[in-house]
Structure formats: structure tokens, C-alpha cells
């Protein structure tokens, strides 16, 4: 990664046109070919950028050449061109304040809090969230086509298969449907009903689930962790 602090102007041309007038900014060039232009404000979002795949062409000028140019006394110009769309980000550097390069290596990736394994463990621990008198049969209940996240029994002792997603989409409903078809062939479990549980459930997924007789439950991660009491909220 290359970090450059410079007084520069920036122009984007292509599917849209945008201009940043001359000012001190932070320029970030990443190994994947992306270039980001940041100011000291505006939170995390760059003022402008070029996403990969892209190529960088650099033009340098002497101080005398820069002073003689009526279009602007820039000493270095970057032309960053997207290899698929042809869009171009042009950065003209008038003053190079600081520059450094760093080898960051391979990143292990973001480990999100509230992923499906965490949600599964919390819901299994607090199975009463789904109803009073409920009991846990097993997490990761094995079937011939894969494990069901949670197998439980309701207050009347009926079997319930629970599929858990952080973001509930149509694929998750289809997955639970396949589990239910298989589980309902087991005379010791049938009839088995399904619950599709997620922190966020897409409207299309909710409609499909309801059409197939599957109940949808929205999970409150903070409430499951005991960090939020829904009953004490004002709204």
C-alpha cells in the first residue's frame, strides 16, 4: 500500500464527471489497483476513487516545466484508468508533502460479531425466546442432506426445525424447505414445522416462507446477549 499526502486536484471522467479543486488530501494506492482520495473529514468514505481493475500511468515534470504551464503548476500527474469501462481518475499533484509505502500482506478478513454460529448458540441457550415451555433437542441436528441448525420441541412437544441466518433470503427458505421434507419422513418426528430466524429477513423471503407454512422470526442479537431489554424501551 502506498500513502501520499499532497496538495492536489482530482478529476473523474467517464460515466460521470466530477472535480475536486486544489487542496491537501490523502491518496491511497492499494495493491489491487484501487485508488482512493480522502480529506480530513467526511468520515470513512473517500471523496473520489477508482475501483479495480485499473492501470496507473504517472507523468512527472520539473519545477521549471510546472511554472511555465498556464494550466497549472503541477509536478506529478496520475492517470488511473479502469480497464473495463475506460473511466479515468486524474490526480494532479502540486506539492508532495509526504509519501510512504507499506507491505501489509494477506488480510485474514473481517470477523463479524453476530454471525450465524453465534446466533445459533445464543438461540439454543435462550430457546424460550421462541415460546414459553420450549425445549432444545439438539444443535446441528444431522440429516442426510446436512445439519439443521436447531431442532426443538414446543410447549406441546411438537418438533420444530429452526434455520438461522444473519440475513434471511430466499435461499435460506429453500434450504429449510428441503430439511422439512426430509424430517417429516421420520415417524418419530413428524409432523415437523419450520421456523426461519434471522436478524434481517428480506420481504421476498418472508412471502415465500409464509406461502410454505414456515414461520419467520426476527432475532434481536443484543437482546439474546442480555445487552438490551426490549420491555424497558420507550419505543
Amino acid at each position: 500500500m502506498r500513502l501520499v499526502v499532497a496538495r492536489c486536484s482530482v478529476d473523474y471522467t467517464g460515466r460521470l464527471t466530477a472535480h475536486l479543486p486544489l487542496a491537501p488530501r490523502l491518496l491511497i494506492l492499494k495493491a489491487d489497483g484501487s485508488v482512493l482520495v480522502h480529506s480530513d473529514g467526511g468520515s470513512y468514505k473517500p471523496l473520489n476513487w477508482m475501483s479495480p481493475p485499473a492501470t496507473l500511468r504517472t507523468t512527472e515534470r520539473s519545477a521549471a516545466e510546472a511554472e511555465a504551464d498556464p494550466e497549472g503548476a503541477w509536478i506529478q500527474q496520475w492517470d488511473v484508468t479502469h480497464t473495463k469501462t475506460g473511466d479515468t481518475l486524474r490526480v494532479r499533484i502540486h506539492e508532495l508533502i509526504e509519501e510512504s509505502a507499506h507491505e501489509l500482506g494477506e488480510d485474514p478478513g473481517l470477523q463479524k460479531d453476530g454471525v450465524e454460529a453465534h446466533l445459533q448458540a445464543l438461540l439454543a441457550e435462550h430457546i424460550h425466546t421462541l415460546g414459553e415451555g420450549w425445549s432444545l433437542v439438539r444443535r446441528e441436528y444431522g440429516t442426510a442432506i446436512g445439519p439443521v441448525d436447531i431442532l426443538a420441541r414446543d410447549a406441546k412437544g411438537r418438533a420444530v426445525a429452526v434455520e438461522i441466518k444473519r440475513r434471511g433470503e430466499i435461499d435460506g427458505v429453500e434450504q429449510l424447505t428441503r430439511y422439512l421434507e426430509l424430517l417429516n419422513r421420520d415417524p418419530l418426528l413428524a409432523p415437523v414445522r419450520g421456523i426461519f430466524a434471522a436478524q434481517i429477513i428480506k420481504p421476498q423471503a418472508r412471502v415465500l416462507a409464509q406461502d410454505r407454512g414456515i414461520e419467520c422470526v426476527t432475532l434481536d442479537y443484543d437482546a439474546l446477549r442480555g445487552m438490551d431489554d426490549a420491555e424497558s424501551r420507550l419505543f
Side-chain angles (χ1 to χ4, degrees):
M1 177 180 290
R2 183 178 167 197
L3 305 175
V4 178
V5 179
R7 287 183 65 249
C8 62
S9 62
V10 182
D11 289 279
Y12 191 103
T13 57
R15 290 167 294 180
L16 57 86
T17 301
H19 173 69
L20 291 171
L22 187 64
R25 297 189 178 91
L26 169 64
L27 309 172
I28 302 177
L29 293 83
K30 294 186 177 182
D32 63 4
S34 58
V35 177
L36 298 90
V37 182
H38 282 273
S39 67
D40 204 14
S43 187
Y44 66 91
K45 189 175 181 180
L47 299 171
N48 213 326
W49 67 92
M50 178 63 73
S51 57
T55 57
L56 169 64
R57 182 171 60 88
T58 302
T59 304
E60 296 193 17
R61 302 196 303 185
S62 66
E65 290 174 323
E67 289 295 335
D69 187 353
E71 293 186 6
W74 54 268
I75 58 174
Q76 195 175 107
Q77 177 175 292
W78 300 354
D79 288 301
V80 188
T81 305
H82 197 278
T83 56
K84 292 184 178 179
T85 66
D87 288 15
T88 299
L89 182 75
R90 171 169 287 178
V91 180
R92 284 183 166 176
I93 296 175
H94 290 240
E95 179 186 0
L96 187 60
I97 300 171
E98 188 172 339
E99 181 175 2
S100 62
H102 308 272
E103 181 59 53
L104 302 185
E106 186 175 350
D107 191 89
L110 178 66
Q111 297 180 351
K112 295 181 179 179
D113 195 15
V115 295
E116 292 168 18
H118 296 159
L119 290 169
Q120 183 190 122
L122 286 167
L123 187 58
E125 183 180 353
H126 303 285
I127 197 67
H128 61 272
T129 302
L130 299 177
E132 289 296 328
W134 282 52
S135 60
L136 175 69
V137 176
R138 185 177 173 181
R139 287 178 55 192
E140 298 289 330
Y141 184 86
T143 75
I145 58 174
V148 178
D149 288 336
I150 288 179
L151 185 66
R153 289 194 180 274
D154 63 17
K156 296 182 178 180
R158 297 171 296 190
V160 184
V162 185
E163 181 64 27
I164 300 170
K165 301 292 183 185
R166 198 172 70 86
R167 186 181 182 87
E169 300 187 8
I170 286 177
D171 287 350
V173 178
E174 296 285 4
Q175 184 180 1
L176 179 54
T177 300
R178 293 192 294 270
Y179 288 146
L180 290 171
E181 289 176 354
L182 194 62
L183 292 171
N184 274 301
R185 297 176 191 174
D186 187 342
L188 298 178
L189 294 176
V192 183
R193 66 187 180 97
I195 289 182
F196 188 53
Q199 288 180 286
I200 300 172
I201 300 177
K202 287 286 200 71
Q204 300 93 328
R206 189 179 294 274
V207 169
L208 180 61
Q210 292 172 346
D211 183 67
R212 296 183 177 180
I214 295 172
E215 181 183 350
C216 290
V217 173
T218 302
L219 298 176
D220 187 326
Y221 184 56
D222 287 336
L224 286 172
R225 290 193 296 171
M227 296 179 63
D228 183 30
D229 182 5
E231 295 182 358
S232 64
R233 295 178 190 166
L234 291 177
F235 51 85

